[in-house]
Amino acid sequence: MQRTYNQTFCSAPFIHMYVHKNEDIRACCMTTEYGLVHDNTELDLEKRWRSKYYRDLRQQFLDGKEPEICTKCFSTEKHGGTSDRIRFNRIYSDILEPNVETGNQYESPIDLDLRPGNLCNLKCRMCGPVSSSQIQKETQSNISVQEIFGKGDIIETEGVFDGKNLEFLLRNADKGRRIKFLGGEPTIMPEVDDMLSLMIANGQTDIPLHFTTNVTNNTEKFISKISQFKNVAFNYSVDGTGKVVEYIRHPVSFDKLNDNIAVYQTIAEQGEFGDGGIGFTYQAYNFFNLYDTFKWSLRLGVNFWVDLLVGPDWCSVLCIPKNIRDKELLRLRKILAKQTANNIIPTIDRILEDDREYGLTQLARYTKILDKNRKQHIKDFIPEIWEIIREEYDAIQL
């Protein structure tokens, strides 16, 4: 039976746990404590679950408040979109018995978001050392790149995914409806492989799995292991088509992505959250490629949704001059309003209402630094953006 809560209530801090090896405590991936560094957070996850952070957040939701760190969900809803808050409530309100101290009647999380580190095989331009070991190596070996990403110093806290914590995380996972694996690139992480083996040995293959993946790994070992689970959904992190995605997600091959998605789709099931499919992170580089990527998703027969990049600012869509971006967004809105793409419209409307312009200086400078280091040139990949930043780009001396 679905329970009724106040209008601002969110089930997440009562049932969901976000665990990142390189970040401090946060309630979920949508909260706005960006740039967290794993420093002095509680490493015992059972103690963390009962910490003041969680207790205070749970109480705010029970009191009908809108926590400041949850503005992204409330903004999405304001513009007619379906937020993670709404999804959590829809999926879990029928079983949740909220408790400020223990979260729920099981006294442990039942929905998991697990990120065992930054191991990755790509260097996505909007990413950083915390989530990409390749960018970490790049920053440590190239002083110029440190201007963008810092020195690449990562505090990797050992033990957060150890046996005791894994036992706690899996204790009541069968009561929930999803375990999410992210990274880095979770499909190549030994910690994820070990956890899948543990779940198979424990007979927990009924628990739905969800992978956010760059779709570059189709090894027999990985495919064989996940095929033993009854429900596996994939969020394909593909931020464009053709040369656009090859530029953003260096050194990916778009043809390889096509081939691998076909393999993954033979396994994929639609999870209860409805978030399997292509996840498109809207940013300056793919600003003119949204519709082509949406059409590609239709040809593949997979879901498509847009997440607006909220950091780093230097490659945000808000770097594009407002007169240029509004013209493109209004064109897209007109086209997409006639199609089954309503999930995209709220994001477009949010940008249209935003009058901020971050400017082209950093976008041009950081683009040129990475172009020089990676032996690329944006004009060969995304000529539309090149024309916008061309004057600033050519004026920069490196």
Side-chain angles (χ1 to χ4, degrees):
M1 182 183 75
Q2 276 209 317
R3 294 173 172 81
T4 301
Y5 300 101
N6 62 64
Q7 291 185 338
T8 68
F9 183 80
C10 179
S11 301
F14 296 88
I15 50 88
H16 173 79
M17 196 168 203
Y18 172 102
V19 187
H20 195 309
K21 187 177 180 180
N22 303 333
E23 284 188 353
D24 209 330
I25 187 172
R26 74 169 8 147
C28 76
C29 66
M30 302 300 288
T31 55
T32 55
E33 310 109 313
Y34 297 107
L36 293 175
V37 175
H38 208 330
D39 187 7
N40 58 358
T41 193
E42 176 58 65
L43 301 182
D44 184 318
L45 296 186
E46 188 161 7
K47 291 181 180 178
R48 183 189 297 192
W49 183 243
R50 295 168 179 258
S51 67
K52 186 177 186 299
Y53 174 92
Y54 275 100
R55 295 196 308 270
D56 288 349
L57 191 59
R58 291 166 185 153
Q59 191 63 59
Q60 287 184 69
F61 279 123
L62 288 174
D63 291 342
K65 298 178 180 179
E66 293 187 11
E68 185 178 349
I69 62 174
C70 300
T71 55
K72 189 173 180 181
C73 277
F74 290 114
S75 176
T76 297
E77 294 166 23
K78 174 186 173 184
H79 292 89
T82 302
S83 69
D84 275 24
R85 185 185 79 91
I86 290 174
R87 293 190 187 97
F88 275 120
N89 288 347
R90 185 184 71 236
I91 298 302
Y92 286 108
S93 63
D94 62 331
I95 62 172
L96 172 62
E97 297 176 12
N99 183 296
V100 171
E101 180 72 25
T102 66
N104 55 63
Q105 65 271 37
Y106 306 112
E107 302 186 1
S108 65
I110 59 175
D111 185 278
L112 304 174
D113 181 330
L114 307 180
R115 310 183 185 216
N118 70 342
L119 181 64
C120 190
N121 55 340
L122 300 183
K123 296 185 286 189
C124 304
R125 289 190 173 233
M126 68 291 186
C127 195
V130 168
S131 297
S132 170
S133 55
Q134 294 302 312
I135 291 179
Q136 184 182 15
K137 292 176 183 177
E138 186 178 39
T139 58
Q140 291 171 342
S141 60
N142 296 274
I143 295 177
S144 61
V145 178
Q146 292 179 10
E147 180 181 337
I148 306 172
F149 301 116
K151 295 183 178 180
D153 296 329
I154 301 297
I155 301 175
E156 295 187 355
T157 307
E158 299 302 328
V160 74
F161 284 94
D162 68 7
K164 178 183 177 182
N165 283 334
L166 285 183
E167 185 277 328
F168 172 69
L169 292 171
L170 292 176
R171 183 178 300 168
N172 290 296
D174 60 328
K175 309 295 193 306
R177 287 152 186 174
R178 182 181 61 172
I179 295 179
K180 292 175 65 178
F181 292 103
L182 301 93
E185 174 50 37
T187 70
I188 63 174
M189 290 182 171
E191 297 93 339
V192 174
D193 184 70
D194 290 344
M195 192 166 182
L196 294 178
S197 295
L198 179 61
M199 293 174 70
I200 292 170
N202 290 344
Q204 295 176 302
T205 55
D206 287 342
I207 300 175
L209 305 182
H210 186 286
F211 290 86
T212 294
T213 173
N214 59 32
V215 211
T216 57
N217 177 25
N218 66 353
T219 61
E220 183 178 345
K221 178 182 178 182
F222 175 70
I223 299 299
S224 173
K225 190 159 287 189
I226 61 173
S227 296
Q228 298 180 56
F229 289 82
K230 295 181 179 180
N231 189 311
V232 184
F234 298 98
N235 170 17
Y236 306 122
S237 291
V238 181
D239 302 309
T241 57
K243 288 189 174 183
V244 174
V245 71
E246 291 180 346
Y247 185 75
I248 295 173
R249 290 185 165 267
H250 181 74
V252 81
S253 160
F254 182 61
D255 289 340
K256 187 68 172 177
L257 294 182
N258 263 310
D259 293 342
N260 286 350
I261 287 179
V263 174
Y264 280 44
Q265 283 299 103
T266 64
I267 303 168
E269 298 283 347
Q270 186 62 51
E272 288 190 71
F273 279 79
D275 52 357
I278 291 175
F280 183 91
T281 302
Y282 207 17
Q283 58 192 277
Y285 290 126
N286 60 20
F287 183 72
F288 295 99
N289 191 234
L290 187 152
Y291 187 59
D292 285 343
T293 310
F294 171 67
K295 289 193 297 181
W296 176 55
S297 74
L298 293 179
R299 292 195 296 272
L300 292 172
V302 300
N303 288 343
F304 179 87
W305 73 94
V306 176
D307 279 325
L308 185 62
L309 181 74
V310 292
D313 288 348
W314 67 265
C315 56
S316 164
V317 295
L318 299 182
C319 292
I320 308 295
K322 185 167 176 58
N323 64 320
I324 297 175
R325 71 176 191 247
D326 282 2
K327 181 179 179 180
E328 172 65 7
L329 291 170
L330 290 170
R331 182 187 75 86
L332 286 173
R333 203 184 193 290
K334 184 176 180 180
I335 295 171
L336 293 170
K338 301 175 183 178
Q339 304 187 37
T340 55
N342 291 332
N343 63 318
I344 307 174
I345 300 299
T347 301
I348 290 176
D349 288 345
R350 285 174 61 193
I351 306 171
L352 284 169
E353 290 182 10
D354 200 325
D355 293 331
R356 290 176 294 173
E357 291 189 28
Y358 290 162
L360 300 174
T361 301
Q362 278 196 317
L363 174 62
R365 180 172 181 81
Y366 292 171
T367 296
K368 190 165 187 175
I369 289 173
L370 292 178
D371 279 357
K372 181 178 179 180
N373 191 60
R374 299 177 183 180
K375 296 179 173 53
Q376 297 175 309
H377 198 300
I378 189 170
K379 68 181 179 182
D380 300 322
F381 293 85
I382 316 175
E384 301 93 336
I385 298 298
W386 160 243
E387 288 302 322
I388 294 172
I389 67 172
R390 183 174 187 168
E391 184 176 345
E392 298 242 9
Y393 187 104
D394 283 343
I396 294 168
Q397 301 295 319
L398 296 178

